[in-house]
Each structure stands twice: as C-alpha cells, then as structure tokens.
Amino acid sequence: MSFDERFDVIVIGAGHAGCEAASAAARMGAQTALVTLNLDLIGQMSCNPAIGGIAKGHIVREIDALGGIMGRIIDRTGIQFRLLNRSRGPAVQAPRAQADRSLYRIEMRHTLEATPNLHLRQGLVIDFLIKDGRVRGVELQDTRRLRADAVIVATGTFLNGLIHTGRRTYTAGRAGEPASIELAESLKRLGFPVGRLKTGTPPRLDGRTIDWDSFEPQPADERPVPFSFSTEAIEQPQVTCYIGYTNEHVHNYIRSNIHESPLYSGQIKGIGPRYCPSIEDKVVKFPDKLRHQLFLEPEGHNTTEVYLNGFSTSMPAELQQELVHKIPGLEEARIIRPGYAIEYDFVDPRELTPFLQTQSVAGLFFAGQINGTTGYEEAACQGLLAGINATLFIRGREGFRLQRTESYIGVLIDDLITHGVDEPYRMFTSRAECRLSLRHDTADIRLSPYGHKLGLLGDSEWNSFNQRRQRIAILRAALESTRFKRSDSIHYSLCQMLQTDLGCTISLAQLAQRPNVDISLILQYLPSELRSNVSLAELGTALADLLYSGYIEAQRHHLERVYHHDNLYIHENFNYRLISGLSHEMVERLERVRPHTFGQARHISGMTPAALSLLLFRLQFQQSA
Amino acid sequence: MRKLLRKDHFSPRANRVSLQTIFDPESGETLDRALITYFQAPHSFTGEDVIEFSCHGSPVLLLRVIDALLLLGARTADPGEFTLRALAHGRINLNQAEAIRDLIDAQTHAAVRQAARQLGGELSARLQPIKNALLDIIVPLESSLEFVEDDLPEITLERISERLSNLIQRLGDLASTFRAGRLLKEGLRIALVGRPNVGKSSVFNRLLASDRAIVTDIPGTTRDSLSELINIQDILILLTDTAGVRTSDNLIEAIGIERTRRAMADADLIILVLDGTQTLTSEDKELLADVRENKYLIALNKSDLEDFALSNAGGLNGAPIMPISAKTGAGFDAFRDAILKPFTATDIQDGCFLITNARHYDLLRRASDALYSAKQLLESRTSEDLILLRLYESLRILGEITGETTPEDVLSQIFATFCIGK
C-alpha cells in the first residue's frame, strides 16, 4: 500500500475526546495526526456551553491531574464559575463553568497547534486500512491515505448521524455539518456490534429579545474554584445566568401537539439519556409537575446568543417558536437556531479492552460517544486514556488503566466494558463505590504520580504538585496538633461563641467538624506562621482529609475483605466451558465480556452468586496449582 | 434412555409421567417396572433437563438400576450438586439454598414447616418492602446531591429520621424472632440437675417415656451425663440427665459432676429436681443459688408419696415449682407445658414467620445497626454523603438476602421519581 503521510497515531475527530487523545499522544512523543472535518470547529461544544458539574467536574479535575488539557482550557475561557454543593460534604462538591463557546474553540486549537508532534489535518475519514488483524492507517474521502499503527476513533454524534426536527430528517453530524456515513459502514463491515442512541439540544435565542427582568439572576461565585491544579486565577470577566420556568400554558400546548414530536410519533428509534430529557418527555412523564426549570445561559462575551437550557426539543421549528413565546419573559424572544434531536451509531463498549482498544482489531481504539457515553467530560477522559494507550501500544508497552477505587475515570471505563450501555452513559458520584475517596480536590494526589510517570506532567508541574502535597500535609498536622485546653482563654471564648461545652481539650480538626463552624474561624486559630500565607482551598482540602479519614479507612478495610479476590487475573484464553456445573447462560455471559479479572466478572450483570463461587474456586485452584 | 428401555424410538413427553420397563443393558434381563418423569428445562429443580426414575423400593434393585445407568455413561452427583446447579441456573437464590440445607437437617415437623417457608423465599419477600422503604429514603437524599441544579422537592430531616426509626423497628421485630426460630431449628438444651437420689433419672425416663437411664436407689448411680432427644409439642429438646451433685471423693463421680456443671452452663433451661418429701438440704440450697443465674424450673418430685408437701420447698418465693411424680406420671402434662413456657413468648404456634438462620439474624442486626448509625449522623446534622454511606451499607447487607441493588437500580428509581435534567 502506498501512503501520502506516515504517523504513529491517527485520531479521527477533534471534539473533546479527540483533542485530549491527540494532545496526550503527541506530548508522549508520538507523531500524531488529528483528522477533522472542519479545522474551524475543533473543540466545539455541540450542546450546552458548560463544563463540569457534580461527578463531571470531578472527571475534569482527574483529566487535569493526569496531564490532560480540558481543565486548563475551560479555566482560560470560562465566563461563569460556580462550585456546586458548597454547603454539602466535600466529596460531592464539584466545579462547574459556563464557557464562552467560541473562545473555548479558539483556545483549544491554539493549544493543539502549539503542541510539538501534533499535526492537524482536515478531511473525512471513510475507511480503515487493516492487514492481518492490525490497523495500518486510514483512507480519506479526498483519496489521501494516512499510515499509522494506532488509530483512535472519536467521532461523536457524526457516525451515521440523523437529525430530527419535527417530521423533517436529514443526515448530519451536527446541525450544518455532514455525517460520517462511510466510516459507520466500515465499522459494521468489520463486524462491530453497532447500536443506535439519541440525544438532543434546545433552541438558542437572540439575547436582545429576552425580557431579562422576568428571570431570577444566578451570579457567578465570588471566589471561582478553577478546574486545573496549575491555574492560579480565573481571569475571564464573569457573567450572570438566569433562571426561569415553564408554565401550564406551555405544557398544554406541548400536549396538544405531541404528535408533531418525532420522539412520540415513533420516528426516533435511538434511546436518549434519561437525565437529559426533552421538554416533551418532561411534560408527558411528569404530568403533575406544574412548572419546569429553565436556565438562560449566555454563549459568550462577544455574542448575544443565549442557550435555553432545560428546553431540549425536536418539535418542528415553527412550533418551537410558538412554545418559546408562551414562556414568561420570552414573549418576544426570537429563536436563532432551533433545537433538534440527533440519532447516531455507537459500538457496544463490551468489545473493548480496559485500555479502550478493540478486541478484534489490534491498534484500533475507540473514545467518547462511539462507546455509548454522553458528555464532554466523559468523552475527554476516554480520549486521554485512549491517547495514552495508543502511544504505549505502538511502543509495545503494557497498557495503562485506572482502578474504580482511585478515580471516576476508572469507574467509567470499568462500567462501560463490563456492563455495556442501555442509554447514553453519564457519570454520577453514586456510581463510585468509594466516592468519599474521590474528591475533586484530591485528584492530583490520586493521579498526578501517574501523569508524571507517563510523561504528561512536566517537571515544573511535578514540583508544584509536590509542594502542594507537602503544604497540605503540614496543614493536616497543624490542625490535629493545635489543641485548646479548658485552661486556655481561647477554649472559653469558643465555648461562649458556640454555646456548648467543648470538653477538656479540643483540636482544630475536631472543632472544624462541629456544626456551624466556618472555615474562617479555623483559619483564625491556625499557628501564626501558617496563617499568613495559607490558601483557603488548601485548608479546606486538609480539613476534608481529616473529616473523611476514619470513614475511608473503614471502607478500605471493608473493600479489602469483600473484594480481595478482585485482582485475581483471568487468562485471556480461559475456558469457561471447563467449569463443571456452570450453566450455558453463565458461560455465554462470561465469554461475551471476557473479563480480565475476577472483579470484572463479579460486575457482569446477571451473574449468579453460585456461578461466581464456581469461577472463583476454579481461579484459586489454578493459582495454587 | 433408549438402551435402558430397549425402545429405539423412545422420546418422553415433557413434564409427563410414563410407566416403563427398565432392562439391564448387558444381560438384557428386566430390572423393574418404573415410573419415568421427564422435567423439561427450565421446568425442573435445577433448571436443566431432568429425568426422574421412580422405582420399587428395594435397595438392591435401586443399586442395580444405578449400576445400569453408570454403565451407560452417567455419573453420580456430588453431594449437594443438584442444589448447586439449581443455584447456578438461578432457579433458587442463596437464601433458598440455605433453606434446603435446613430442610434436610430439620428433624421435627415445625422445623420442616419453617424450612418450607424460607424455600418459598419468604424471608426475601418480607425484606423486600423494607428494602423498598430504604430506597425511598435514599432516592431523595441522593438526588439532592447529584442533581443540585434541578428543581427538586425539599426534604425535611424530621421526615427522614421518622422513616428510619420505622425501618429500624421493622428490622428489629424480624430479628427478634431469631431466638424462637433458632429454638425451632436447633432445639432446646435442657439439663436435669439435683442432688443424688431425688429421682432425676426417673424424671428423665418419664419425659423420654422409655427406660433409657439406669434407676437404682443407690445414690450416685448416674455417673455420667446421659443425653436424649425428646419432642414436646413439636419442639426438639436435647434433654441431659446429669450426675447428682454432691461432694465426692470418688474420681469417676467427680468427673461426672464436672460434666454436670458444664451441662448446666450450656443449657437453655435447667430443671432442678427436688425431693418433695424432704425439706431443703444445704446441697439443694447451693444448687438453687447456682441455677438462679439461668432460666430454671423446679420439679418437686415424689408427689405420690405420703410425706410429700409443697411446703417442703418453702422459702423459694417466686420460683416456678411443678409438683410431679416420676413414678405415676402425675403432673407431667402441666410440667411439659411449663418447660416450653419461657420460650414461647413469641408464639411459635401461631404460624408467624421466624428467623432460624444465624447468618440471616446477623445480617438483619447489621442492617439495622447501619440504619441506626445513619439516624444518629442525620440528627447531628452530618453531611448527606456520610449518612448515605450508612444507608448504602444497610442496603448492601439486605441485598445479601434479597439480591443486590446496583447503583443503576438506584438511579432508575431516581429518574422514575423525579423529573431530572436540563
């Protein structure tokens, strides 16, 4: 075969997964091509212009801790930062930021262009070049052939994308962009089990036509918490978002026109995400709810376009306009871009190894929505891991994976490859068995050592990580060793202030765990040499470490007891049929997933305790033999 | 099958019984006329295709039929293999498998009834509403954390605390049936004690309705402890006749007395046998002081004799005293009732559900403890993530009986309950 260009790694698609993948591979030293349909839309936020939130914000911080780029870019382009769940336990707090959509794109392209070994190419990939079960490269529509031993597919909603607005349907990857039809066919030809998912987006409004006074302002945090451990300050001017509500008029109008929605006419076959329902779904499934919440989110500093979050719909465009007019405050509002639903192909992720490589074609990796996930953050972290693993693969090195107990990324990939997906998969903190250990502010402690070892974190970042780790350790020690006895005057005044007896002696760490004790109070009593230059965020981290340490220790013991067989390795060619007494159905489940460890086998849905006992028995027998 | 029946076209109808002649595959002689039942998968105990032979009851004949089958390539099942296969095919859950083991072990009718119930997954069924109620607490709490930007109804701590108390109560009620349940399954241990020659062995024999213990009038005849199983109102009782307790320099008797002390320590109930024709001796009083630490009952024996007087046992104010005659059997009906009385506070006879398995009892206790701890955290205004940690722990423990509740199940419940999502 002749090739126009040769690379080590090719990444198809420059969305959130593709950008991370290409950046990681290139920074690890692989000559990397990032092939996209449109160079001007690199890092495009197809849906809402926001990054983070509960669990998703955790993932972004994990990406950053490993040396990914999403955190830094949103920090430079975010126009409204908020730390969610500020009043709740530290484990469920997470940052969220509205982005300036176009700034984010520009910053992403700029970052990629400044990355050595990274080569941007515009074009439509139509086929994989495969020889002897190994990927050799890709073919573009314009007849160019690119050579590489590792190819990462990060095509998002473009694979066989089909847009619905009312009864009108047309093939597209996003509104106004062509779908990837040939590549979808090529995947099917290779025998991958392909399914169909659906997602949707709301209309965007002309901000000049909105009666802003009818809405409740939702300001940005006064002290924004950045995503990246390397960001010192958020410099973008911060904007306000607005909250409003639908009413019964809107709902009735939707109900009487429900037949116009392709979701309810039977036209859409793909399964949509339950946690991101269209307004049609909300009204039909929760008829007793008298109003639904809406968010007006500005798309950027230099545009009047406004994203109507909470109003995702695939109704015909003229009906969307009528519906919008019925919303209090939007009586005069004009739609700039109508909302739509999009159906796209995904591949059953149980086809993947824990390294996101396909089991049937060596060197072929999948990341993002092709694996059935939804969300920029979920996509980005897969891209990062695929980029890392593609590079390790071409070097003949062992793959890199994360455990469920150490990261949300580990939970996500493990869930995907063991359970597959029934609907677009989104991360929730409750999916993690040990969410107390997976705080957003400890992502660096958990993962930066990996990032450094992989070569994704440079020396200066590594140094600042070590300094931060040390500062927090010093704070923890100070919080535990600073104690006030009954004889101290501070003890007396604290008792007076809290109107309670604090016992004979109380440490700052114990004081912090009492109700109604604010972090500023703790700061006030820190030893003076620490107080002068401590960061409130780091003090918060030290306090949270101490708050959870007992629980985490107890949980670790429990997990060790219950899951101490989980790391038992299952050989790739393990023959389940040889286990006497294991039913045909159980054998089939195991053969479909081909778990690498007993822990993965344990998570396969429908596995009976007896079948697992039989398997465990066999594995232990083999080990001892 | 065809070789065994000598029918080349034999094909049994699913889930039907047929009468067939079984032949020895080697000699060709007729072995038996037997009923053949074909249970077609999945309608069998194990969930697989099963053929059952119902032969005539001669052990020799049965062995020959088994030999014939082995000759044709079958193998004998390992102990418990059918249950394991049923478990592996999901025909029964772990809970039911344990009940089958209990069923096999059960020795009395009441225990059989109890085992039969758990086989039907009744414990699972009873725990299911408790588990659902727990999910109803978890769902709004979890939603308030995960979907902070959604417009969810407010939850009040008081309401959650009230619901938790209710669940703790329900789990506690179920767990409290364990003592009676265990009694049913494992039976009671009862020790007969008394100084020598008050007639312990006669009482033992009368309860046994046989002449198991050697009775003489020589004090100290029973040198070792004798134990027998008896059955009072379907409750299995391990009755131990002990050596009479007295100070003795005879070594064998001393060993017997040591065993008596041990039997007393193990017993669920001690029956102190006194001689109703005599006033209390210092040995009687010593024994009385010993047994008072346990559940005990006094049998005032020899009511058939003239010298017998209830007042002879005077000064035992409040102690349960049953006048009996081991010789004539007088007073034994009331005596038998009195033996069971301390254990029937939770009425075993009314057919209510009882926990009989120590593992289940332990799980219920732990599930309830976790809820209690959640309630305390809630009341001290601890953050929701820590409260949920305890609630999930309880859910997981209940899941060991009812089957696992996955995070996906919880999420589904959330999405079914609340309108979530932008």
Side-chain angles (χ1 to χ4, degrees):
Chain A
M1 265 185 259
S2 67
F3 290 96
D4 296 271
E5 281 188 285
R6 288 171 188 270
F7 302 97
D8 297 323
V9 175
I10 294 170
V11 180
I12 308 171
H16 305 284
C19 289
E20 288 289 351
S23 166
R27 284 181 298 131
M28 283 173 74
Q31 289 301 320
T32 307
L34 178 57
V35 186
T36 173
L37 275 167
N38 187 342
L39 283 175
D40 301 324
L41 294 174
I42 286 175
Q44 168 78 313
M45 298 181 158
S46 323
C47 199
N48 69 325
I51 280 178
I54 314 290
K56 290 162 163 282
H58 289 85
I59 292 180
V60 180
R61 300 216 69 178
E62 289 183 359
I63 292 171
D64 184 71
L66 282 169
I69 52 178
M70 183 176 244
R72 293 155 185 250
I73 292 175
I74 181 63
D75 282 349
R76 283 182 223 140
T77 59
I79 54 176
Q80 194 212 33
F81 277 81
R82 285 191 306 130
L83 184 68
L84 303 183
N85 270 343
R86 214 179 252 280
S87 63
R88 308 296 183 84
V92 291
Q93 294 180 10
R96 179 187 189 276
Q98 289 292 129
D100 180 311
R101 196 193 295 272
S102 90
L103 265 184
Y104 190 92
R105 256 189 344 245
I106 292 163
E107 189 65 33
M108 180 59 84
R109 178 166 179 182
H110 175 72
T111 301
L112 296 180
E113 284 176 343
T115 305
N117 310 327
L118 179 46
H119 313 276
L120 297 177
R121 295 289 179 270
Q122 182 162 309
L124 176 69
V125 175
I126 56 165
D127 205 359
F128 302 103
L129 304 170
I130 289 167
K131 202 175 163 194
D132 305 328
R134 293 179 60 108
V135 73
R136 293 294 150 128
V138 298
E139 184 173 348
L140 306 190
Q141 194 180 38
D142 55 25
T143 73
R144 274 183 297 172
R145 284 161 167 256
L146 308 181
R147 172 87 173 82
D149 280 339
V151 172
I152 299 169
V153 186
T155 43
T157 56
F158 282 67
L159 269 188
N160 238 340
L162 183 69
I163 283 183
H164 301 258
T165 311
R167 283 184 195 133
R168 170 76 53 83
T169 64
Y170 56 99
T171 62
R174 272 188 300 239
E177 297 172 65
S180 215
I181 308 290
E182 293 91 338
L183 199 64
E185 287 311 309
S186 164
L187 284 169
K188 278 184 198 159
R189 267 201 314 278
L190 286 170
F192 287 109
V194 172
R196 209 79 173 131
L197 291 173
K198 169 246 154 187
T199 187
T201 183
R204 329 276 164 101
L205 309 177
D206 180 344
R208 295 170 302 181
T209 60
I210 294 172
D211 174 18
W212 293 100
D213 292 339
S214 307
F215 296 90
E216 175 193 326
Q218 185 190 41
D221 280 354
E222 273 175 41
R223 284 196 306 261
V225 174
F227 286 90
S228 173
F229 289 95
S230 62
T231 299
E232 286 177 4
I234 298 300
E235 280 160 9
Q236 284 290 340
Q238 299 289 291
V239 304
T240 299
C241 291
Y242 292 85
I243 298 176
Y245 296 94
T246 60
N247 59 23
E248 277 294 280
H249 295 300
V250 179
H251 301 178
N252 287 332
Y253 203 63
I254 290 173
R255 276 188 209 107
S256 55
N257 288 289
I258 197 73
H259 55 279
E260 298 280 354
S261 166
L263 275 174
Y264 284 87
S265 66
Q267 185 179 310
I268 291 181
K269 302 281 191 296
I271 299 154
R274 282 174 299 179
Y275 32 77
C276 209
S278 63
I279 190 70
E280 294 99 294
D281 269 341
K282 291 181 188 179
V283 168
V284 171
K285 289 184 181 153
F286 294 91
D288 297 337
K289 211 162 150 64
L290 300 178
R291 60 176 203 181
H292 292 280
Q293 200 167 232
L294 300 172
F295 296 83
L296 299 181
E297 300 174 342
E299 293 247 340
H301 287 313
N302 301 316
T303 173
T304 59
E305 194 169 345
V306 171
Y307 189 85
L308 183 56
N309 209 343
F311 207 75
S312 176
T313 180
S314 51
M315 289 283 203
E318 67 277 16
L319 211 58
Q320 290 186 27
Q321 182 64 74
E322 288 173 52
L323 284 168
V324 164
H325 281 164
K326 294 190 189 299
I327 297 169
L330 299 182
E331 291 84 354
E332 306 294 326
R334 308 300 304 176
I335 291 177
I336 297 178
R337 311 182 204 215
Y340 60 88
I342 179 163
E343 284 185 289
Y344 55 96
D345 283 357
F346 78 103
V347 178
D348 185 341
R350 288 176 293 188
E351 280 298 304
L352 299 174
T353 69
F355 314 114
L356 299 179
Q357 187 173 187
T358 65
Q359 290 183 11
S360 48
V361 182
L364 186 61
F365 294 78
F366 292 165
Q369 275 168 308
I370 188 172
N371 292 334
T373 61
T374 171
Y376 309 147
E377 305 82 356
E378 286 86 347
C381 74
Q382 291 172 68
L384 176 60
L385 273 271
I388 291 169
N389 279 307
T391 311
L392 294 173
F393 171 79
I394 55 162
R395 294 189 179 147
R397 285 172 48 195
E398 201 187 325
F400 172 70
R401 63 185 297 195
L402 292 165
Q403 301 296 321
R404 297 182 72 91
T405 46
E406 65 186 344
S407 64
Y408 282 100
I409 301 176
V411 171
L412 181 138
I413 293 176
D414 190 56
D415 277 351
L416 289 181
I417 64 172
T418 42
H419 299 306
V421 296
D422 299 324
E423 65 174 331
Y425 179 100
R426 181 193 142 169
M427 185 48 72
F428 298 105
T429 63
S430 58
R431 293 198 196 268
E433 292 79 2
C434 348
R435 73 172 154 199
L436 296 188
S437 330
L438 304 184
R439 277 162 31 216
H440 78 86
D441 58 332
T442 60
D444 59 336
I445 305 285
R446 292 182 275 121
L447 305 178
S448 286
Y450 296 125
H452 181 60
K453 206 169 152 220
L454 289 163
L456 289 171
L457 287 181
D459 288 342
S460 78
E461 288 149 326
W462 182 241
N463 284 341
S464 50
F465 162 72
N466 280 316
Q467 283 162 14
R468 182 178 124 87
R469 178 157 63 177
Q470 194 169 0
R471 284 195 303 271
I472 292 169
I474 291 171
L475 279 172
R476 272 199 307 266
L479 288 166
E480 287 198 295
S481 62
T482 308
R483 297 176 161 271
F484 306 112
K485 295 201 204 75
R486 202 181 281 288
S487 51
D488 297 339
S489 60
I490 292 178
H491 189 285
Y492 177 77
S493 53
L494 282 172
C495 287
Q496 289 292 303
M497 188 193 333
L498 299 171
Q499 303 210 325
T500 177
D501 179 24
L502 294 171
C504 287
T505 167
I506 187 162
S507 69
L508 271 181
Q510 289 164 333
L511 183 66
Q513 290 178 27
R514 301 195 69 90
N516 306 323
V517 172
D518 190 73
I519 194 166
S520 58
L521 186 74
I522 303 297
L523 180 66
Q524 193 184 328
Y525 292 113
L526 268 184
S528 54
E529 70 274 16
L530 287 175
R531 202 187 316 153
S532 48
N533 53 6
V534 69
S535 106
L536 268 186
E538 287 177 1
L539 180 58
T541 295
L543 284 170
D545 285 349
L546 294 171
L547 167 68
Y548 285 141
S549 64
Y551 295 95
I552 290 173
E553 188 61 15
Q555 195 172 31
R556 198 174 56 81
H557 276 297
H558 167 72
L559 290 173
E560 268 173 18
R561 220 173 43 244
V562 178
Y563 305 129
H564 70 287
H565 297 301
D566 276 12
N567 291 326
L568 220 53
Y569 181 70
I570 305 178
H571 193 268
E572 218 165 298
N573 302 317
F574 186 87
N575 189 349
Y576 296 99
R577 288 165 201 273
L578 290 183
I579 303 181
S580 132
L582 199 59
S583 73
H584 189 61
E585 188 194 347
M586 294 296 134
V587 171
E588 273 190 346
R589 280 174 199 266
L590 287 161
E591 285 184 341
R592 194 164 56 228
V593 177
R594 287 246 149 240
H596 295 255
T597 61
F598 179 73
Q600 282 174 19
R602 208 168 48 72
H603 278 105
I604 299 172
S605 66
M607 288 299 291
T608 63
L612 287 171
S613 311
L614 289 169
L615 175 64
L616 181 61
F617 182 74
R618 186 79 183 191
L619 290 174
Q620 284 179 321
F621 178 75
Q622 273 193 343
Q623 282 226 323
S624 59
Chain B
M1 261 328 275
R2 286 173 187 152
K3 280 188 188 152
L4 201 64
L5 303 179
R6 305 208 130 190
K7 284 184 180 172
D8 288 343
H9 303 291
F10 176 73
S11 75
R13 283 181 63 200
N15 310 320
R16 288 281 189 285
V17 185
S18 68
L19 182 66
Q20 300 290 341
T21 307
I22 298 175
F23 296 91
D24 186 317
E26 275 193 325
S27 65
E29 70 178 295
T30 304
L31 287 177
D32 194 11
R33 292 270 288 165
L35 294 174
I36 309 282
T37 317
Y38 172 39
F39 298 90
Q40 192 176 42
H43 303 292
S44 72
F45 173 67
T46 62
E48 301 159 308
D49 279 334
V50 169
I51 299 256
E52 233 175 64
F53 293 80
S54 309
C55 302
H56 289 96
S58 149
V60 182
L61 181 81
L62 288 176
L63 277 177
R64 286 195 64 183
V65 173
I66 290 169
D67 284 346
L69 286 166
L70 295 179
L71 197 70
L72 292 169
R75 74 169 171 86
T76 54
D78 299 327
E81 185 175 336
F82 280 94
T83 309
L84 191 63
R85 284 179 176 227
L87 198 64
H89 285 93
R91 293 289 295 169
I92 55 172
N93 58 35
L94 199 56
N95 201 10
Q96 289 167 318
E98 282 170 354
I100 290 172
R101 191 198 59 212
D102 286 354
L103 188 67
I104 292 164
D105 291 346
Q107 301 185 38
T108 66
H109 299 306
V112 171
R113 266 206 308 276
Q114 193 63 30
R117 279 208 179 161
Q118 283 191 4
L119 193 59
E122 186 165 342
L123 177 56
S124 262
R126 282 193 183 243
L127 283 179
Q128 204 63 49
I130 295 181
K131 195 170 110 174
N132 290 344
L134 178 55
L135 265 179
D136 285 346
I137 298 172
I138 290 175
V139 160
L141 265 184
E142 188 66 60
S143 309
S144 77
L145 294 185
E146 297 267 25
F147 306 105
V148 54
E149 293 192 281
D150 284 273
D151 184 23
L152 299 175
E154 287 279 321
I155 33 175
T156 69
L157 295 185
E158 290 71 25
R159 178 107 183 79
I160 294 182
S161 172
E162 195 181 298
R163 287 192 192 180
L164 279 176
S165 302
N166 175 272
L167 283 186
I168 293 168
Q169 174 78 38
R170 284 160 74 183
L171 284 174
D173 286 350
L174 211 48
S176 69
T177 66
F178 176 63
R179 207 188 50 185
R182 196 194 60 143
L183 187 75
L184 251 183
K185 198 183 106 188
E186 292 177 1
L188 276 173
R189 280 175 305 248
I190 296 181
L192 283 172
V193 300
R195 68 184 160 83
N197 212 22
V198 291
K200 291 185 302 296
S201 297
S202 308
V203 174
F204 181 77
N205 284 341
R206 174 63 67 179
L207 285 171
L208 233 67
S210 76
D211 284 328
R212 174 73 172 78
I214 304 157
V215 188
T216 71
D217 1 346
I218 309 161
T221 303
T222 309
R223 296 235 164 132
D224 198 353
S225 298
L226 278 180
S227 294
E228 273 297 337
L229 285 174
I230 63 170
N231 181 327
I232 301 178
Q233 292 171 22
D234 275 354
I235 305 293
L236 198 65
I237 292 170
L238 182 71
L239 186 65
T240 301
D241 181 20
T242 64
V245 175
R246 64 171 180 173
T247 8
S248 168
D249 45 14
N250 180 315
L251 180 65
I252 298 175
E253 202 180 322
I255 293 171
I257 292 170
E258 179 48 38
R259 290 196 182 164
T260 300
R261 300 251 177 233
R262 220 179 298 152
M264 279 171 66
D266 288 344
D268 297 307
L269 175 78
I270 298 170
I271 299 175
L272 173 60
V273 184
L274 297 177
D275 185 337
T277 64
Q278 298 173 10
T279 51
L280 295 182
T281 67
S282 60
E283 281 168 326
D284 286 336
K285 285 178 183 162
E286 229 171 87
L287 273 169
L288 200 60
D290 283 349
V291 301
R292 271 182 195 275
E293 289 163 18
N294 303 57
K295 271 206 181 76
Y296 74 104
L297 178 68
I298 292 169
L300 202 57
N301 196 14
K302 307 190 182 177
S303 67
D304 52 308
L305 297 182
E306 271 180 32
D307 296 342
F308 181 88
L310 263 178
S311 58
N312 279 335
L316 301 178
N317 38 348
I321 301 178
M322 303 303 298
I324 54 165
S325 165
K327 198 167 169 187
T328 63
F332 265 72
D333 284 345
F335 181 41
R336 286 196 182 88
D337 288 345
I339 289 174
L340 288 186
K341 200 170 168 226
F343 303 99
T344 48
T346 335
D347 196 357
I348 297 175
Q349 309 300 328
D350 75 350
C352 79
F353 183 77
L354 301 171
I355 300 289
T356 61
N357 179 308
R359 188 179 81 93
H360 293 160
Y361 174 69
D362 181 51
L363 288 174
L364 290 174
R365 278 268 308 279
R366 278 164 45 217
S368 165
D369 287 351
L371 291 183
Y372 185 72
S373 151
K375 187 165 175 277
Q376 283 187 319
L377 289 173
L378 184 81
E379 280 158 8
S380 62
R381 308 269 153 166
T382 308
S383 63
E384 293 87 342
D385 47 357
L386 293 176
I387 297 169
L388 277 161
L389 194 68
R390 293 292 185 243
L391 297 180
Y392 281 124
E393 187 186 332
S394 187
L395 191 66
R396 183 181 53 74
I397 295 169
L398 292 178
E400 287 186 30
I401 300 175
T402 59
E404 197 186 353
T405 308
T406 62
E408 196 54 44
D409 296 336
V410 176
L411 286 169
S412 296
Q413 186 72 32
I414 290 176
F415 298 129
T417 312
F418 300 119
C419 182
I420 299 283
K422 287 182 171 179

